[in-house]
Amino acid sequence: MSKLQQFQDYIRSNGEEITGVDVPVTLSDEQAKDAQLKFNFGWRVEIGVSRHSHGGSRPSGIYCGTSSEASADAHNAAKEFVSGRDPLFNERFLKILGPDVSKNFLIKNTSLNSAPSEYVGGDTCSTCNGSGCVRCGSCHGSGKTNCYSCGGRGRISVSKYDSYSERTVYTTESCSSCWGSGSHTCSRCSGRGDVTCGTCSGSGTLYYSYTIDGEAKRSTKWYYTSNDYHEWTGDFLKRTGLNVVHSFNDITEIDVEGDLDGCTFVYGFTAVLPTLQFTASIDKVDTRMCFAGKQNRTHDAGGVYDPAVWQVAQKLGAGSKNDDTKALATPAIKDIIEAKETKTSIALLEENWVSSDIKDAVVANYDSLVSQLKKQSVKGIVPKMMASLAKYGYLFFTLAILIALFFPEFAEEAPYRMGIMQYPQWIIAVLSADFALFGIHPLANYVMVIGLFFASYQLVKRGYWKSIGKAKTYALALGITLLLPHICLSLYYNTQSAMHFGPSFAEGLAGGAIFVGLYLLVLGVTWPKKWYLKPLGLIAATALYAGIQFVFAMLNGALGTVPADENYFRGLGNIVASALMYIQYNFIEIGLFAVLFSYFLTRRRFWLNAKTDVADYNSPVLLKSMNMDR
């Protein structure tokens, strides 16, 4: 089989596999080329001088007097290495150069390690000023230390019992430990008053050495001598390495200017790059296609898959879910989108199997699809959120009014308890350690706050229904850290307080029926499925609501909700009015809860519904683009 037929069969079978459609490409005009590709490359050397401290021990090496003189000599030698005139570094370059170039041409760092020459300098020890000795710290230079028995006085106090006079006599006598002198010879310095300097170990000199370290970095500059190559040639050689060429010759050391100026070594090469070039025809459009190197790797595919890819991709985002699903399942389109989302490169684009124009068109259609799905995912969210706000607002209002009705004495004390408006002052007091939480040390407040913030951060990071950025995660964690103590402490202490007073069942049932019963009106409208039955449902619910209130009025005598000599509905209104005072003091908390619940639960419900719809496309990359891959 000829090369032409071999490549043509490969393009057709591979094209159908990655595009899902037949690619009727026809190759012709096979041309074999062994063109010369000329380039220059060199080493850019970075030389540094490192300082090492050796204390009072003098290392081997070139002694240069003081440390500043040794440093100067080392830097002068480093300049000689950079210039390329020193044979030591030249030999190292030649050893590194040979095998590395023949393998690959990727830019990388190569350490040249340290030069064997070590420049040593000595300075007078600043601790002992060159004497090698310092004053003894135990005796402060005197050579003597106070006797520990008598404390340096030479005499000690003693007591004796006089049996004749039957009394204890106190007197002093000469110290037997120091024989009355009050001091001992210093054990550390043996009475000399000075000891060996620990900084320089008694030498009187501190030594420093300077070594020369080198790191070579390769840089390249290309010069083309033929028009047979495309803009991908340089990247192709760097990616595949010089092992794709048949040979390289004319290796000479040269002098260059510009980017490579100052390199120790610069070499010029002439490389032979074998290439097979074809004319590829598809849908009456001709393009040039090249396979290069000893392994005939694709060098420039000429965008031969463009028509096949575009045949599928042009329908992406046009409004048909089936077409979108089919396009996203097509390997070429899937790879292009994944490369765009992950910011990676793929051979499909690097080798020009699909041109940049088609790639940009595919990405544009995909972005249009993502934009459409994002709009659909929040369509109608504002009315739903407002309805949720009304629902949760009335729910928390009802719960609060029931608490006030069942525990009226507890509700009356609402003005004296800390509310959300006073809570910031409590937070400031905690952070300024004005008082101690739970009776622990006030500084423990910070540990508790930091621990709560860390726990809140982990909770949001792991438990939030979708992936969010760090800024939002920190914001939510901070919100939980600030609000959770208020909620927990309020629930704990308010529950204890309410239980202390005891419930009032009669007032709670009668008053609560007024507000809880309103849910009957909502059910009367929502339960009937037929529109013409909804008015009947509302009438029935209204009648039932009125009946419940009438029953509680009839049971007033037994329940004792309102005194018998007072109008029932007026008395019940007074009870409800007292409960509404509790609502007034907790209005901000009720509103805050309603807003939070309506916002987060509505958004979560819309997000889950949208994720279900997007999952039907069976595309992980689409879930990632929609931030739904969690």
Side-chain angles (χ1 to χ4, degrees):
M1 181 185 294
S2 66
K3 284 286 185 183
L4 186 145
Q5 185 64 41
Q6 176 184 340
F7 286 127
Q8 183 167 282
D9 292 345
Y10 168 78
I11 294 166
R12 289 180 176 178
S13 60
N14 194 47
E16 187 171 359
E17 180 181 341
I18 68 173
T19 63
V21 296
D22 184 30
V23 185
V25 64
T26 302
L27 297 183
S28 60
D29 301 333
E30 179 179 348
Q31 300 179 42
K33 297 177 179 291
D34 285 325
Q36 307 293 303
L37 179 65
K38 189 172 184 179
F39 59 90
N40 296 334
F41 93 101
W43 293 91
R44 176 169 56 88
V45 183
E46 294 181 354
I47 297 295
V49 176
S50 302
R51 170 172 165 158
H52 313 277
S53 176
H54 299 276
S57 175
R58 182 180 180 277
S60 60
I62 303 173
Y63 189 72
C64 304
T66 65
S67 61
S68 60
E69 292 172 337
S71 175
D73 285 357
H75 280 86
N76 290 333
K79 293 176 183 178
E80 289 294 315
F81 293 151
V82 174
S83 68
R85 293 190 294 268
D86 186 273
L88 169 68
F89 270 63
N90 289 359
E91 292 174 3
R92 290 187 179 182
F93 277 127
L94 291 175
K95 289 179 181 178
I96 294 173
L97 185 63
D100 186 57
V101 174
S102 61
K103 272 190 216 173
N104 210 325
F105 207 70
L106 294 175
I107 298 176
K108 62 182 180 180
N109 295 344
T110 302
S111 175
L112 298 176
N113 301 318
S114 298
S117 299
E118 190 173 42
Y119 298 84
V120 179
D123 293 337
T124 300
C125 177
S126 58
T127 303
C128 65
N129 295 320
S131 65
C133 297
V134 293
R135 190 172 67 168
C136 178
S138 297
C139 64
H140 304 289
S142 65
K144 300 287 186 179
T145 57
N146 287 337
C147 175
Y148 64 87
S149 297
C150 64
R153 295 188 301 272
R155 299 185 67 82
I156 58 174
S157 299
V158 295
S159 62
K160 296 180 180 180
Y161 183 73
D162 186 355
S163 59
Y164 178 76
S165 59
E166 295 183 347
R167 63 175 182 167
T168 302
V169 178
Y170 297 94
T171 183
T172 62
E173 63 183 26
S174 179
C175 177
S176 61
S177 177
C178 62
W179 303 100
S181 66
S183 62
H184 291 282
T185 300
C186 178
S187 60
R188 184 180 179 189
C189 65
S190 301
R192 293 190 306 272
D194 54 31
V195 294
T196 301
C197 177
T199 304
C200 64
S201 301
S203 67
T205 305
L206 295 177
Y207 294 97
Y208 303 91
S209 66
Y210 298 84
T211 55
I212 304 170
D213 305 305
E215 184 180 29
K217 298 181 179 179
R218 182 165 49 197
S219 53
T220 59
K221 192 169 185 178
W222 299 84
Y223 298 99
Y224 293 98
T225 58
S226 171
N227 295 324
D228 295 331
Y229 292 92
H230 311 296
E231 58 182 307
W232 295 275
T233 302
D235 292 335
F236 174 71
L237 279 181
K238 290 177 182 178
R239 186 173 64 249
T240 57
L242 290 181
N243 58 352
V244 299
V245 303
H246 274 167
S247 62
F248 50 91
N249 47 49
D250 299 336
I251 304 175
T252 55
E253 186 171 354
I254 59 176
D255 293 323
V256 295
E257 297 179 355
D259 291 344
L260 301 182
D261 190 20
C263 287
T264 304
F265 295 98
V266 178
Y267 289 92
F269 289 87
T270 300
V272 179
L273 182 66
T275 302
L276 279 176
Q277 180 175 296
F278 302 92
T279 297
S281 302
I282 182 169
D283 290 347
K284 300 181 180 179
V285 176
D286 293 343
T287 183
R288 187 170 62 177
M289 185 174 185
C290 297
F291 294 89
K294 289 182 288 188
Q295 295 85 15
N296 282 321
R297 300 182 184 181
T298 307
H299 175 209
D300 175 14
V304 294
Y305 292 157
D306 283 359
V309 172
W310 186 239
Q311 183 178 341
V312 180
Q314 64 183 338
K315 301 177 182 178
L316 184 64
S320 172
K321 189 171 184 178
N322 289 333
D323 290 341
D324 293 337
T325 305
K326 179 182 177 182
L328 292 173
T330 301
I333 297 174
K334 181 180 178 182
D335 290 346
I336 291 171
I337 294 172
E338 287 182 349
K340 176 250 183 183
E341 290 295 317
T342 58
K343 294 180 175 59
T344 55
S345 57
I346 55 175
L348 190 71
L349 300 176
E350 283 192 344
E351 298 172 7
N352 201 32
W353 289 99
V354 175
S355 66
S356 58
D357 292 340
I358 294 297
K359 182 262 294 183
D360 294 339
V362 170
V363 170
N365 284 4
Y366 176 74
D367 289 341
S368 175
L369 172 63
V370 172
S371 178
Q372 293 171 23
L373 292 176
K374 285 183 177 180
K375 289 181 180 179
Q376 292 175 12
S377 68
V378 295
K379 187 177 181 181
I381 194 172
V382 174
K384 287 288 185 182
M385 197 169 289
M386 298 305 295
S388 295
L389 181 61
K391 178 177 72 175
Y392 288 115
Y394 188 74
L395 172 64
F396 290 118
F397 169 82
T398 304
L399 291 176
I401 203 75
L402 287 176
I403 292 173
L405 290 169
F406 275 99
F407 302 94
E409 295 179 1
F410 166 78
E412 289 177 1
E413 293 188 353
Y416 308 106
R417 285 189 291 271
M418 183 178 67
I420 194 69
M421 299 304 293
Q422 294 80 36
Y423 184 62
Q425 300 175 3
W426 184 85
I427 289 290
I428 294 173
V430 169
L431 296 179
S432 58
D434 289 345
F435 67 94
L437 288 171
F438 308 110
I440 310 175
H441 194 279
L443 293 180
N445 295 354
Y446 300 106
V447 178
M448 296 181 191
V449 171
I450 294 172
L452 179 58
F453 178 79
F454 178 77
S456 302
Y457 179 83
Q458 295 299 324
L459 177 66
V460 174
K461 188 177 179 181
R462 299 172 186 272
Y464 204 69
W465 68 83
K466 67 174 184 177
S467 299
I468 55 177
K470 281 191 175 182
K472 288 186 178 180
T473 304
Y474 281 121
L476 286 175
L478 181 61
I480 294 174
T481 303
L482 294 176
L483 290 178
L484 189 62
H486 178 65
I487 296 171
C488 294
L489 293 175
S490 296
L491 285 175
Y492 175 73
Y493 289 113
N494 289 343
T495 301
Q496 276 193 335
S497 178
M499 292 298 101
H500 173 74
F501 291 109
S504 176
F505 289 104
E507 294 182 1
L509 291 173
I514 296 176
F515 300 96
V516 177
L518 293 177
Y519 282 100
L520 292 172
L521 304 181
V522 178
L523 294 176
V525 176
T526 56
W527 269 7
K529 302 301 180 183
K530 306 291 185 180
W531 65 269
Y532 52 82
L533 294 178
K534 291 184 181 295
L536 296 178
L538 179 60
I539 294 172
T542 304
L544 180 59
Y545 177 75
I548 292 173
Q549 305 308 319
F550 181 75
V551 168
F552 275 105
M554 292 298 98
L555 293 175
N556 181 55
L559 296 175
T561 309
V562 178
D565 58 346
E566 186 178 351
N567 180 277
Y568 173 76
F569 291 104
R570 185 179 295 111
L572 187 61
N574 292 333
I575 293 173
V576 172
S578 299
L580 290 176
M581 292 296 295
Y582 176 77
I583 299 296
Q584 179 181 349
Y585 286 108
N586 295 277
F587 179 77
I588 296 179
E589 282 92 336
I590 294 171
L592 183 62
F593 272 109
V595 169
L596 291 176
F597 271 71
S598 60
Y599 178 81
F600 285 105
L601 292 184
T602 304
R603 288 192 67 87
R604 182 176 184 275
R605 183 166 58 251
F606 269 74
W607 185 85
L608 290 175
N609 292 336
K611 184 176 182 180
T612 301
D613 292 337
V614 174
D616 292 339
Y617 288 86
N618 195 27
S619 173
V621 69
L622 184 59
L623 285 171
K624 180 177 177 63
S625 299
M626 295 287 292
N627 197 22
M628 295 178 175
D629 52 340
R630 182 162 182 169

